[in-house]
Amino acid sequence: MEIRSINAMRGPNYWSIRRHKLIVMVLDLQEMEELPSNKIEGFPKRLKAMFPSMYSHRCSEGCEGGFFMRVDDGTWMGHVIEHIALEIQTLAGMDTGFGRTRGYGEEGVYNVVFSYMEESVGRYAAKAAVRICEALIAGEDYDLAEDIQEMRELREADRLGPSTGSIVEEAEARGIPWIRLNKYSLCQLGYGANQKRIQATVTSETSSIGVELACDKEDTKYLLEQAEVEVPRGDIIRRERSLEEACRYVGYPLVIKPIDGNHGRGITVDIRNYDDALVAFRHAKESSRSGAIIVEKFIVGEDYRLLVINNKLVAAALRSPAHVVGDGKSTIQELIDEVNKDPRRGYGHEKVLTQISVNELTQTIIKDAGYTLDSVLADGEKLILKDTANLSTGGTAEDVTDIVHPANVSMAERISKIIDLDICGIDVMTTDISKPLSETGGAVLEVNAGPGFRMHLAPTTGLPRNVAAPVIDKLFPVKGDTGRIPIVAITGTNGKTTTSRLISHIAKMKGYRVGYTTSDGVYIQNRLLMTGDCTGPASAEFVLKDPTVNFAVLECARGGLLRAGLGFKKCDVAVVTNVAADHLGLKGIHTVDQLAKVKGVVPETVLPDGYAILNADDDLVYDMRRSVDCNVALFSMDENNPRIKALQRLHGITAVYENGYVTICRGEWKMRIMKAENIPLTYGGKAKFMIQNVLAGILAAHVQGISIEDMKAGLETFIPSASQTPGRLNLFKFNNFNILLDYAHNAAGMRALQKFTDELEATVKVGIIAGIGDRRVEDNNEMGSIAAEMFDEIIIRQDKRLRGKTEEELIKMLDDGIKMRDPNKKTTIIPSEKEAIKYAVKNAVKGSLIILCSDVIPDALNLVKELKEKESKGELNLV
């Protein structure tokens, strides 16, 4: 079973289930002796007994019970596994419902797609669903409880917290993209140079001095006292011998807490004698990093949290610690169990309230109150179960934003400036927040950096507040600013890398700081930072995370799309060069039409005001215009192409090759850029497929507002070479022969190369070719057949990328193709690429052209460069 996660859509969806990511399983069920569900004795009955809640699954029938109707009529196990994977996630508190099961193109093998909220949970659900289905088929018992709990724990370990999640949700609602930067709460909003960062509710604009102050309760209290803010009388001590004097100075009742504590750790309240103070002091010491302990007056009243963002009060909540109220007949444990039945309470942060857990602290509090869990509370008696009012420990919150007295509002906003925090939570104790603290004898107890938003987003009672909105307002103050950078995505069968490099080069000439991905590696401003085939989502994210980049060009290949989707949600421009037979028979793609649908995903991601740039000479690419929701621009090697003419009549944008020029047209008005023969990349206009790449490149540059002058400068200085276009028509001139290195690795690429080499003069054309392991037999046969047309002599070698085949198999496929075309073609078999190149050079006749077709570019380039250098030194000796 192969499991892939597709980032088709992003978003944590903490408060509302709107967007999901997708898991894709390639499921081979032949080992399960697959039969339709109604042909397995007792299977429908066992399924319904285990999952009665599946009655709500409407499936394709469109009514409640629809899925069970399908099971009774007979449906395949892949379909059943899809529904089980969805249902067990729902049972674990993640209500997600999108799923599809489709044939993979091989008997008994399916693509099973279903949505998830956390990837680790989705992957677990995929495997668990298969195990459950196997048990149901065999009629064996299966305990779901372990799977449900495991998924809950996975979710809590991996999910974004409610505060971070709410900010990300708000960003998404405004079209701001985001990337999670670690497994915790560090997230990037926006891309490249325009990014902002958040970590929970600390932002990239939060003052580090403010955070330090808030973490130091001594300094915080001192500053607030100096500013005449009401704070409780207190003292700070470090040694036990100072405690008694501090207690006398402050006066009972008092509270003892660590100066650098958080989340309520180490705090003891309402202390009324020295013995209790001593216990509290030692408890605080255990939670103090610095060893400093605060002893201060215990203020009578209720616990309020005031949330200030960008120096404005945005929400206030009355917090109550976890508690139960007696009924005169139920035990404390029974009362806790009853409270936990509230459907709003869940495991961890899964719901707006957290279940009350009975831990050691709770048992101590109950014991101190003179009770045990088996004690019965009097009717109406309230028993506090936790020492803080945090929601994460089972507390509750009531929104009181609208009744906060203006004096208290002003005080809170002033405190945020005194401590210098853009987001801060101010803890206040008072009997009535609707009156000034000076009247109630209340006080400010604490100022918190990175305050939790949960109590404001979903209070137990009162009006929920969208407190994430002012955070985004501060980070992106300009209306409509999405933190994006221009993204140009390129896909197709051939020409992707050259087009990506050309667009990147033109953008650099414009002055952009460009990051781009290719099949050779990832580049940031011409610096190669990652090597290898970097055309998948991880490489795209690498560029988009780089804070120096303000223009991204991303090559998107079939493999990455099928394996893990895209590394971005939307782009500004998408270029599709062509679609031809390549990599067929892999990952469920068996036809060129299916391949076109995969590559068509890229133009479908273009923003509404962006452009899909399509090859009007390719029927499959041209048809992609039907599925996009953006502007369409076309390019063609024929200015009289009816598709081009039709778009021009609609005043659309096109690029054509006409009268020897590469030309951009707005409507029917022509803007000639350059003569193709003067563009180095085209080798004097001989490389027609390079002209096609140029058309796509200048069209992408034009719709991004790059001037004709900058385009010309880019085209003139983009020289086909091992440095700028590695492996793409790299010509090395030796004294008596030449070597042309090219990445042609499929039939379409070989045909394009053939048209170019047919125009090159040479006494003999020697081709060095290799089979590709992840191609079909007929594809490698065709490569051999084309080579037989192109070359006077052929050397068959084999690279290291066998991809499931043997050297002998691949060599035979090519040799068979050559013999089909020309049984008498001179063919030499030398499996080692290095030895094959040396053999060709050693036996090269004067004026010959050696054409090296390689898809392991770095190795081939290094060897050819080495040979060239040896010749320049007079050391070329291959004997």
Side-chain angles (χ1 to χ4, degrees), residues 2-138:
E2 178 186 353
I3 300 176
R4 303 195 295 270
S5 58
I6 304 295
N7 293 322
M9 291 171 276
R10 293 181 173 275
N13 318 301
Y14 180 72
W15 302 110
S16 59
I17 310 301
R18 291 202 305 267
R19 305 176 184 87
H20 298 277
K21 305 175 188 178
L22 303 175
I23 282 286
V24 180
M25 286 194 294
V26 180
L27 202 57
D28 187 343
L29 299 179
Q30 296 177 73
E31 293 182 3
M32 295 172 67
E33 299 180 10
E34 190 189 30
L35 292 170
S37 54
N38 62 346
K39 298 296 183 183
I40 301 172
E41 185 177 352
F43 181 86
K45 183 178 180 180
R46 290 192 292 272
L47 179 67
K48 294 172 187 176
M50 180 177 279
F51 297 106
S53 52
M54 270 195 193
Y55 185 75
S56 63
H57 290 212
R58 294 174 173 268
C59 202
S60 57
E61 300 297 326
C63 61
E64 285 202 345
F67 171 63
F68 284 151
M69 292 166 62
R70 295 285 305 277
V71 171
D72 290 336
D73 291 341
T75 190
W76 299 105
M77 287 302 114
H79 184 209
V80 175
I81 287 169
E82 167 208 325
H83 279 265
I84 291 175
L86 291 171
E87 185 61 19
I88 59 178
Q89 289 184 84
T90 299
L91 293 174
M94 289 155 280
D95 189 8
T96 180
F98 176 84
R100 294 288 185 273
T101 301
R102 296 291 183 266
Y104 187 73
E106 301 171 22
E107 187 175 352
V109 183
Y110 298 90
N111 267 319
V112 179
V113 182
F114 62 87
S115 54
Y116 64 87
M117 294 177 67
E118 294 297 330
E119 182 176 331
S120 59
V121 177
R123 287 178 172 272
Y124 186 92
K127 295 175 182 177
V130 174
R131 293 195 301 268
I132 292 167
C133 199
E134 288 172 338
L136 286 168
I137 290 171

Side-chain angles (χ1 to χ4, degrees), residues 85 309 380 781 874:
I309 298 176
N781 288 163

Side-chain angles (χ1 to χ4, degrees), residues 264-285:
R265 296 186 183 96
I267 299 176
T268 306
V269 300
D270 198 14
I271 301 167
R272 296 183 177 270
N273 57 66
Y274 180 72
D275 289 339
D276 288 345
L278 190 58
V279 173
F281 176 85
R282 292 168 180 169
H283 179 52
K285 270 285 191 181

